[in-house]
Amino acid sequence: MDSTRPDSGTIAERHRSKHREATADVEFGAWIDGERRTGGPKQGIEDPVIGESIVDVPQSDAGDVDDAVDAAWDTFEGGWEDTTVRDRSERLFEWAEVLADHVEELTLLECLDCGKPISQARGEVEGAIDTLEFYASAIRGQRGSEVPAGEDLHLYTKREPYGVVGQVVPWNYPLWAAAWKLGPALAAGNACVLKPASDTPLSTVRAAQLSAGVFPDGALNVVPGSGSEVGQAIAEHEEIRKVSFTGSTGVGSGVMRAAADRVAPVTLELGGKSPFIVFPDADLDKVVQAVADGIFYSTGEICDAFSRALVHESIADEFTERFVEAAESYVLGDPLDEETTMGPLTSKSQFETVTDYVETGKEEANLLCGGGRPDDPELTDGYYVEPTVFDGVTNDMTVGCEEIFGPVQTIQTFESYDEAIELANDTQYGLASGIGTESTSLVHQTADDLDAGLVYVNEYGPIMPDAPYGGFKRSGFGKDLGLEALDHYQRQKSVYVNL
Ligand code: TAP
């Protein structure tokens, strides 16, 4: 395993200096009704590379959620609901432009806060901007419909925003995930109250501040705070008319129960344990890297990670050998270094969770590579875990069926098509799946048979705002992204007119 070194000083020195640079001109805190809130208890936001706080962020509470909801309704009823699509589109484009002017600042915050390699952090910030631009365009093309209903009747349908919507996002791609929710919700004319994950609020809070003057005060509110208080308050709030949640299946089902009490619709993007089926005719030059990127991108902290490679037995030896080589080629190092391809896990608790899974895997299966922390003494304060690969795995093992959310790959073999599909679908989840083959007919047959909301063929990603993104089964329902997400932020009304 290679590791990278900063040009000068230790990693800790370089990071402390970057903490000062990234936070010098910004006061973090809730963004409510177009103003910063800086009171209340503070939480240190940890840099997972050196285990030290980047900055203290004032934490919102349930009272702040009430204030944000009140401000959002005032704005919605005070004129936001009557804005034209052209107006909202132009404002979203304007916000995207402001964020584009601050790409490097937001990238640095994301990199420091999550430990993401800087090139990945930049790509995700750019992805967030692209998402806002997509919805700024898409809303201009939306139409209602006219229904032929007879001579005396004019029957048409129209779409309306819900009013105030609540949104809760996780820590693995903070700003990008926030844009997936804010873009369609604002484009559709809702006012938003969004909670970032308590470990990673910095980029989203900063992006909200950068919306000052773009949207009317109160249209976009961000409340950083704990899930148990702020997230729960959003899920339960009587005046929040729709909730969109991304996170774990356990918390997501609780959000759904809370929203059910007031019959508020929810969108849930939840966990995954996604298979990638490698058929005998697969081009391993493409597929090995696709599966590796699918599990090692973002240190495996991705909901659609290809965490289960299902490989035809005739090519299993070659695939496994090449996959281990690919795993060992990731460069663990300082995420600030452009050469680094894998950073640490995002938090200490995540490090402990993943390390526990790795230890369980060593008892259950056969460790092929990784399985510990990198040797580099400069990385020992960070939450680094080596790319880890197990074979001899079965679906009933803990590492074969539970979402690890770290850089841990399992390899299983299959003999027949039916066995591959059975293994792939034998999971409570259904977010993503992958196929490695050069056969067009096999692609279509397998895409039909896989019980998952996303199918990638011979590649991992890219995620485009143009297409709906979301899972089946316990991976959730409703969609982020695509025109479908706009639908989820709108109510449809049928109007019967007999004049
Ligand atoms: P969670 O623990 O579920 O946290 C997600 C968000 O929910 C965080 O903002 C969290 O706040 C908040 N939260 C915690 N308890 C809450 C409650 N009682 N009510 C309302 N909100 C609450 O998930 P995680 O461990 O951070 O994220 C990893 C999980 O998210 C994985 O399962 C992953 O697959 C899934 N994920 C799915 C997708 C898609 S698109 N399907 C994308 C990314 C991640 P705190 O930060 O304060 O805990």
Side-chain angles (χ1 to χ4, degrees), residues 76-385:
F76 181 77
E77 290 174 341
W80 183 238
E81 66 176 319
D82 298 320
T83 47
T84 61
V85 291
R86 174 189 283 272
D87 183 7
R88 294 199 299 275
S89 167
E90 286 174 355
R91 289 174 194 263
L92 267 178
F93 271 125
E94 190 184 337
W95 190 32
E97 205 177 319
V98 177
L99 298 187
D101 288 341
H102 290 78
V103 164
E104 289 309 317
E105 178 191 350
L106 293 163
T107 296
L108 181 58
L109 288 172
E110 209 76 308
C111 173
L112 293 172
D113 199 351
C114 305
K116 269 180 200 296
I118 196 149
S119 57
Q120 291 180 14
R122 188 178 295 114
E124 292 181 12
V125 171
E126 287 167 351
I129 293 165
D130 187 39
T131 302
L132 298 179
E133 289 173 345
F134 172 77
Y135 286 107
S137 296
I139 194 66
R140 296 287 301 271
Q142 249 202 348
R143 301 283 179 269
S145 67
E146 184 163 350
V147 183
E151 268 180 24
D152 300 329
L153 195 59
H154 178 204
L155 172 54
Y156 64 96
T157 67
K158 65 190 291 270
R159 296 160 191 268
E160 296 178 351
Y162 278 94
V164 175
V165 300
Q167 301 162 319
V168 178
V169 293
W171 40 264
N172 54 340
Y173 32 88
L175 185 60
W176 204 15
W180 289 17
K181 299 201 185 294
L182 293 171
L186 290 166
N190 299 283
C192 302
V193 178
L194 179 137
K195 187 195 101 61
S198 38
D199 284 334
T200 59
L202 302 184
S203 57
T204 308
V205 165
R206 181 64 182 135
Q209 294 173 1
L210 291 168
S211 76
V214 174
F215 301 108
D217 294 346
L220 192 177
N221 304 277
V222 172
V223 278
S226 78
S228 54
E229 179 162 4
V230 175
Q232 191 70 28
I234 288 175
E236 289 175 350
H237 207 291
E238 278 297 327
E239 299 305 327
I240 288 182
R241 297 287 154 80
K242 188 230 155 57
V243 182
S244 182
F245 172 86
T246 298
S248 59
T249 298
V251 175
S253 62
V255 167
M256 190 173 166
R257 274 193 294 276
D261 283 344
R262 61 184 191 284
V263 199
V266 294
T267 296
L268 300 177
E269 296 292 353
L270 308 175
K273 187 75 177 173
S274 301
F276 192 110
I277 304 175
V278 187
F279 287 110
D281 70 326
D283 177 350
L284 294 187
D285 288 341
K286 289 190 283 201
V287 166
V288 167
Q289 198 55 50
V291 182
D293 289 343
I295 181 67
F296 298 129
Y297 176 84
S298 196
T299 321
E301 294 175 315
I302 23 174
C303 45
D304 60 9
F306 293 144
S307 50
R308 295 188 293 144
L310 308 178
V311 187
H312 191 267
E313 59 174 8
S314 65
I315 53 163
D317 288 347
E318 186 185 353
F319 175 88
T320 302
E321 190 182 326
R322 292 175 68 169
F323 189 82
V324 168
E325 263 173 43
E328 290 181 330
S329 73
Y330 281 82
V331 181
L332 275 68
D334 184 350
L336 290 166
D337 193 318
E338 298 279 352
E339 304 295 308
T340 294
T341 53
M342 191 184 288
L345 294 157
T346 293
S347 64
K348 186 166 188 237
S349 68
Q350 185 62 10
F351 173 78
E352 288 166 353
T353 303
V354 171
T355 306
D356 282 352
Y357 274 118
V358 170
E359 291 310 311
T360 303
K362 287 178 187 171
E363 287 163 22
E364 291 181 318
N366 178 35
L367 177 70
L368 295 174
C369 71
R373 303 179 89 146
D375 291 336
D376 188 336
E378 283 261 87
L379 304 183
T380 49
D381 289 334
Y383 305 130
Y384 288 85
V385 171

